[in-house]
Amino acid sequence: MSLSLHGIGAGNGIMIGRAHLHHPSLLSIPHYRITPEQVDAECARFNQAHAAVRQELETLHQRLQTEAPSELSALIGVHLMILNDAPLKDAPIAQITTLLCNAEWALHTQTAAITQQFNTISDAYLRERRNDILQISQRLMRVLLGQTKLSQLPTAHNSELRILIAHDLSPAEVIDLNAHGFSSFVTDLGGATSHSAIVARSLNIPCVVALHHALLWLQQDDLVIVDGNHGVLIIDPDPQVLAEYTQRQAQQRLTQQQLATLRDIPAQSIDGQAIRLHANIERPSDVAGALAQGATGIGLFRSEFLFLNRRELPDEEEQFEAYRQALTASPHYPVTIRTYDLGADKTIAEQLRTSANLALGLRAIRLCLSEPKRFLIQLRALYRASPYGQLKILIPMLMSASEIDQTLSLIAQAKASLVADGLTFNPAVPIGAMVEIPAAALALDLFTKRFDFLSVGTNDLLQYLLAIGRTDNAVAHLYDPLHPAVLFVLAHIFKHATNTGIPFSICGEMAGDVRLTRLLLGLGLREFSMHATQLPEIKQRILHTDIQTATPLAQQMLLTSEPQQLHQLLEQINH
Ligand code: PEP
Ligand code: MG
């Protein structure tokens, strides 16, 4: 009998295959006492296991830096940091010495103590990090127990597509999933912000997490459908459902192939308006891939990714090289580099949690202005790279006139110091501001008078406008880009910016959401920046849009506050 289970869809697409149930045998942990004379040897055994795991992770980290999306190597970087931190490095040694117990038991008791502390944390994102600690501890335990194989995943031998059904999977296991013969997975645990889900999304593996008791409902080799778009697992589907999903899956593949052919076609609406489609990137090496998808510029290079997962921050020379690399990779198109947006969920090792509420605290430009010396290093590196391409500099999270003035004065200071050093640079690099705090959107004059361009960060704008924490799973369902307040504020920004003649774009996730493309065009947007993979679909929608038809419907949406009517109008626009 067909059965549907609902969880969180964390990866794109649909996969149909046979269930492979994974019940890893619980590691039984030996517990014995040692004599004081055995302490040194036991500590050495633990240190050897620790070094072996570090070596495994470092090798994986290096491999991923060249072969995989940036999130993956960033994740392994986080695991390395957790492994090297005192609670998993020094504390077990202290336990062995004081409790006179074996290394496995010391690790077990120490892990229990750390995870217990995490249970009391209310921040959903931080709570998820508890799983990272458990996964690293398990790696260490396996090495101590002589189970040296990195992953305990089974290997699928059947020629049919196999879908792994597990209680939980570590990010490293998700990375290895394809190599073990699996095309998709579902887990009881996890959340939209868990690292395994992030890895699955980066690798485009369809998956559903947070299914609670999926293992209870399934039998080995059951036929299952994983719908990663909607977070649904269908067990033993009846023939009509199976036919429907098979067709949807085929349609998805066909659409992807067709979209690839649009690469070199200019993005122009039916009524002849040219639209700029730019890409969001995290590393200089992402530029080439973005241009290959048809991007005509980089609209957002999140430079803070150069600062993450490392103990030493990049100096001026290293940053200069990174920016130069990005600029030279794009000889014909602009590259917009955003100054670092650290703080909130992207903290560096040395940064203390100085704000009670990180999203409202010392973040992005606020952090830069509180540490001007460090900010000046980035500004100098950016200007030194400016002769190598069409650089644009973007400043995040500005809100007040005084912040803008301080920022512009630091920019002037950086330029003056380069002149004093006799270094060449382009003094006329366009400087832009992100509009992502509601106060900035409503006091736009402050920005239009002082900047060369604007970029609307809808991710944060919606977070602050609707009071929904971006990483908080408990309120994720409240995210609503069609909320009348969101439409009102966006329309206000577009109208005001158009009237003053300042160029503007959206670089938040709304820019890559095809359901919203016509609405945004109708409201006056002409420049979008998004993940490169979303670009072909958005271009296709633009090619099939008559902006003159979309505009009155979009204006009608502005006069409507009832959600049902708004959805009806959106359907009409997208018809
Ligand atoms: C945004 O806030 O919309 C944005 C593009 O910046 P980030 O997602 O990096 O905060
Ligand atoms: Mg932002």
Side-chain angles (χ1 to χ4, degrees), residues 300 302 338 346 363 434 436 457-460 470 507-508:
L300 175 66
R302 291 178 161 102
R338 176 173 77 180
K346 288 177 283 197
R363 178 190 160 184
M434 288 197 70
E436 50 185 348
T458 49
N459 304 338
D460 279 311
R470 274 170 74 172
C507 62

Side-chain angles (χ1 to χ4, degrees), residues 250-302:
Q251 185 59 44
Q252 248 174 24
R253 290 196 188 116
L254 196 65
T255 309
Q256 275 166 2
Q257 285 165 7
Q258 284 167 346
L259 288 174
T261 62
L262 299 180
R263 206 197 86 141
D264 297 321
I265 296 177
Q268 195 176 51
S269 64
I270 292 174
D271 52 320
Q273 304 207 42
I275 309 299
R276 283 176 299 282
L277 295 184
H278 292 174
N280 295 351
I281 60 164
E282 274 87 39
R283 294 174 305 184
S285 54
D286 296 336
V287 174
L291 299 184
Q293 292 272 7
T296 53
I298 303 302
L300 175 66
F301 172 1
R302 291 178 161 102

Side-chain angles (χ1 to χ4, degrees), residues 494-510:
F494 299 168
K495 192 166 170 217
H496 196 105
T498 306
N499 288 345
T500 53
I502 189 169
F504 61 96
S505 67
I506 285 189
C507 62
E509 294 299 305
M510 279 180 77

